[in-house]
Amino acid sequence: MSWSTLPTASVGDGHLAATSVLRAVPLVPRNAGIALLHAYRSVVSPLYGDVCKYYPSCSAYAVGAVQQHGLVKGSALAAARLARCHPWAQGGVDDVPAHRDFRHTLTRHGFVVPPRKD
């Protein structure tokens, strides 16, 4: 799987600085969920092919939802999206609702890190 298959809003140019490791501890569950979604996207998704009626695909939506809203709420948003995905769905563009107070930075692989304090 190429990381470029994630929507542009789901990747960034941040990195985890050594000075912010302790501030990153609360982000571990969120990033663990993102790692599982990346594994799914690299192993299972290619077996299905391009069958999604929505953009972004359901798995890319799940990555964005977990990034923006955390593991619990992001999983709930992803489950609601999966419930909307059925053979009679019209499809179309269905972006993740943006978190109004999102204050983290994304890495080029889509993981969430604390913002740098320069």
Side-chain angles (χ1 to χ4, degrees):
M1 176 194 79
S2 169
W3 299 111
S4 64
T5 59
L6 288 174
T8 306
S10 295
V11 294
D13 59 359
H15 65 279
L16 181 61
T19 58
S20 62
V21 171
L22 287 178
R23 292 188 301 128
V25 170
L27 299 173
V28 168
R30 182 183 306 211
N31 285 326
I34 292 170
L36 288 173
L37 289 166
H38 282 321
Y40 171 85
R41 288 176 54 83
S42 65
V43 175
V44 179
S45 283
L47 299 176
Y48 285 110
D50 192 18
V51 296
C52 196
K53 292 184 175 192
Y54 287 102
Y55 178 83
S57 68
C58 290
S59 59
Y61 182 94
V63 169
V66 172
Q67 285 173 334
Q68 288 285 317
H69 299 280
L71 187 59
V72 175
K73 186 175 179 183
S75 297
L77 287 168
R81 166 68 179 273
L82 287 171
R84 292 192 302 269
C85 189
H86 51 77
W88 304 279
Q90 188 173 6
V93 176
D94 182 22
D95 289 322
V96 176
H99 191 286
R100 63 183 168 99
D101 296 324
F102 187 73
R103 61 185 183 276
H104 305 294
T105 306
L106 301 175
T107 67
R108 65 185 178 100
H109 297 295
F111 292 102
V112 181
V113 295
R116 290 183 53 178
K117 289 191 175 186
D118 290 334

